[in-house]
Amino acid sequence: MITKMKPRMRHRLAVSALGALAAVSLLTPPASAAPADSTAPRIGVDAGRAPHVPAPATRFGEVPDIPWPPAGVVPPKHSAEKLREFGAAMSERLAQSFPKVVTEAKDLRFTPWSGEWEGVIEDGQDYLTTWAIYQDKIGRTATAYQVEAPGHFTPSPRQWCADNAASCSATKLADGSLVLNAVSRIETGKEPRHIESALHYRLDGSVVWASAYDYDPIFDEHQGPNRKEIALTTAQLTELVTDPALHL
């Protein structure tokens, strides 16, 4: 059985002070928060292990430098109750859609939709996060999700790439929205690890993104193995984030 993550664990997928990818910065809270529990599972990579980020010219590719969010978008302010309704609907959707995209996934479960802390949602919050934790033929791993309300997410595709990734590409979809695909290299002192993310920049100013790993990002006694390749393909990540049912 997988140990349940504790409420005091930081669960935010925002870009860290280290400049690492969102999912890299899920670390133990600062000293002013609840004390750390060394027995609790951790998510991400150890503090101080920053990603290797090459010069911009080698990694931007054709990523457009578009203003974000679009002009005139006003972030909504949802109550915690309404956000829980969104989370319940998205959980129901993901339970059906994720196995269709990740066909090898077994023993799939999702962590509660949350904000800064596992299982905690507050009034006025403008994003929700969850983890899809599962087994495949190699072992356990997880996919991180973050759903941003319209107007809340401010980095443009080019800026997000510059701040977070070793390489990026972008695809404009038929409806005019854009998917940013990005890979980050994490220096560990031994063999580097990698994270691939897909971010769907939608016309209403919302952003939905997901990240996959070449390691198990859930650090507990059930640690899965490191991998030769990232657990999901670029096509799978793109399909996950372009699901219109994921929305606030």
Side-chain angles (χ1 to χ4, degrees), residues 31-247:
S32 59
D37 181 350
S38 62
T39 65
R42 294 177 296 119
I43 302 175
V45 298
D46 289 343
R49 296 181 176 184
H52 172 72
V53 181
T58 67
R59 58 197 170 98
F60 281 150
E62 298 300 321
V63 177
D65 190 16
I66 60 175
W68 198 263
V73 174
V74 178
K77 291 299 180 183
H78 297 301
S79 67
E81 180 180 0
K82 183 63 175 178
L83 289 167
R84 291 188 187 97
E85 291 178 7
F86 280 124
M90 291 191 293
S91 290
E92 185 175 348
R93 170 71 171 187
L94 288 177
Q96 301 298 319
S97 62
F98 191 90
K100 293 179 181 178
V101 178
V102 187
T103 56
E104 292 184 349
K106 306 294 182 184
D107 301 324
L108 174 66
R109 75 175 182 90
F110 296 91
T111 61
W113 288 94
S114 305
E116 284 285 324
W117 308 99
E118 160 96 11
V120 177
I121 296 176
E122 299 178 345
D123 289 333
Q125 189 172 301
D126 33 27
Y127 66 94
L128 286 175
T129 69
T130 190
W131 289 80
I133 303 173
Y134 61 95
Q135 299 272 347
D136 62 13
K137 63 182 180 180
I138 296 176
R140 195 185 74 174
T141 189
T143 299
Y145 277 92
Q146 184 149 314
V147 180
E148 308 270 0
H152 171 244
F153 191 79
T154 59
S156 69
R158 176 68 69 91
Q159 180 185 345
W160 194 92
C161 179
D163 290 343
N164 299 293
S167 64
C168 295
S169 62
T171 303
K172 190 173 183 179
L173 304 185
D175 66 353
S177 65
L178 182 139
V179 175
L180 178 67
N181 297 104
V183 176
S184 180
R185 172 184 165 115
I186 309 301
E187 300 295 348
T188 67
K190 297 181 180 179
E191 184 180 6
R193 306 317 311 170
H194 302 85
I195 303 171
E196 181 167 351
S197 298
L199 292 82
H200 187 199
Y201 284 76
R202 302 182 178 186
L203 300 184
D204 66 351
S206 64
V207 176
V208 175
W209 53 320
S211 298
Y213 310 80
D214 63 3
Y215 60 95
D216 179 0
I218 311 298
F219 293 168
D220 62 11
E221 67 271 24
H222 305 288
Q223 186 69 40
N226 289 338
R227 299 161 178 260
K228 293 182 179 179
E229 298 180 346
I230 292 170
L232 300 183
T233 65
T234 298
Q236 285 174 312
L237 283 166
T238 298
E239 187 170 356
L240 292 177
V241 301
T242 53
D243 183 347
L246 303 181
H247 196 275

Side-chain angles (χ1 to χ4, degrees), residues 1-7 9 40-41 109 112 118-119 220-221:
M1 180 178 296
I2 296 174
T3 303
K4 184 178 180 181
M5 283 175 281
K6 305 297 179 62
M9 181 180 299
R109 75 175 182 90
E118 160 96 11
D220 62 11
E221 67 271 24

